[in-house]
Amino acid sequence: MSTDRIRDHAGQGAPTVAAHRARRRLRADRARQLADLLRRQLLTGAFAAGTLPHESTLAADYRASRNTVRQALDLLRAEGLVERLPGVGTVVVARKYPHGLDRLMGLAETLREHGRISNEVRTMGPVPAPAPVAERLRVAPGADVLYIERLRRLNGLPLSLDLTYLPWDIGGALIGEDLENTDIFRLLEGLTGQSLGHAEISLEAVNADTHSAAVLQAPQGAAVLMLERLTHLADGRPVDLEFIRFRGDRITMSGLLHRSL
């Protein structure tokens, strides 16, 4: 083949390859969009029977191709939300529980409609306050604080790993309390005679380390939701600094936001 013919052949093929890649990207974009819409329905119980509509029905409802629908279902399958059963169709195999971010409540209070929260206290005792903990709890660096590590389960399934620091003058009184069946928030209000006031929170996705993955029975390196929360009493004193790792496949965060300029 001459150089000119090779050049002509390459020139004819390049647009075809580019167009094919563009179509693949567009289908992947549409599949992701459809997966987002279906995920919302899964999480809100829209498929009461536990089975999704047939692929052809989904394609018609969302004006998508069958290939796009299949890709969207593959994404949801990879998240562990659905599974394909021969002779049955695509069924819901997992659900996520809503955790509100617009009210200051303990986990048992937040999820009381969805089952029983149980706590396994893995570690509890005084530790010298690391500098970032001391700063946020407003105690002297190196002063004793109470450290608690709890594995929290919903209906027996691991849900979160909570690491908690409390000032010793308050936290020390929690030793001997029933932390397996009672939220720390309720105990703090009883011990201090004050209600809790407000909390500062941050939320991000992190990869589960070896220890967290083992405790939560999640794949090592799986994404978990990390909620950092500093809770204050009504008088403004910080009393509870928590680092909470939620299994991302079992919890969804929600809140109500108001626009204010």
Side-chain angles (χ1 to χ4, degrees), residues 64-123:
S65 70
R66 290 283 292 274
N67 284 338
T68 297
V69 170
R70 291 190 184 106
Q71 282 189 249
L73 295 178
D74 284 342
L75 292 174
L76 297 174
R77 188 179 300 113
E79 295 177 27
L81 293 177
V82 301
E83 192 53 80
R84 178 76 178 176
L85 297 181
V88 178
T90 301
V91 298
V92 180
V93 295
R95 63 174 300 189
K96 294 187 179 184
Y97 297 94
H99 186 294
L101 294 177
D102 45 9
R103 293 187 63 190
L104 181 54
M105 297 191 296
L107 193 62
E109 296 171 320
T110 301
L111 299 178
R112 62 181 179 272
E113 297 177 0
H114 302 284
R116 180 178 179 272
I117 292 290
S118 59
N119 308 308
E120 176 189 334
V121 180
R122 299 175 55 82
T123 304

Side-chain angles (χ1 to χ4, degrees), residues 133-147:
V133 173
E135 179 181 2
R136 302 202 69 191
L137 290 179
R138 300 180 196 167
V139 300
D144 278 350
V145 293
L146 180 67
Y147 172 75

Side-chain angles (χ1 to χ4, degrees), residues 257-261:
L257 304 179
H258 296 276
R259 181 170 173 81
S260 177
L261 300 178

Side-chain angles (χ1 to χ4, degrees), residues 13 19 24-25 28 30 39-40 53 68 71 76 95 97 117 133 150 166 168 174 177-178 180 189 195 211 224 237 254:
R24 288 181 60 186
R25 285 197 299 269
R30 288 175 174 170
R39 185 187 301 105
R40 175 63 179 171
T68 297
Q71 282 189 249
L76 297 174
R95 63 174 300 189
Y97 297 94
I117 292 290
V133 173
R150 294 171 295 161
L166 304 105
W168 182 253
L174 292 178
E177 294 286 346
D178 182 13
E180 293 187 355
E189 290 180 324
S195 61
H211 170 71
V224 296
R237 180 186 177 184
S254 62

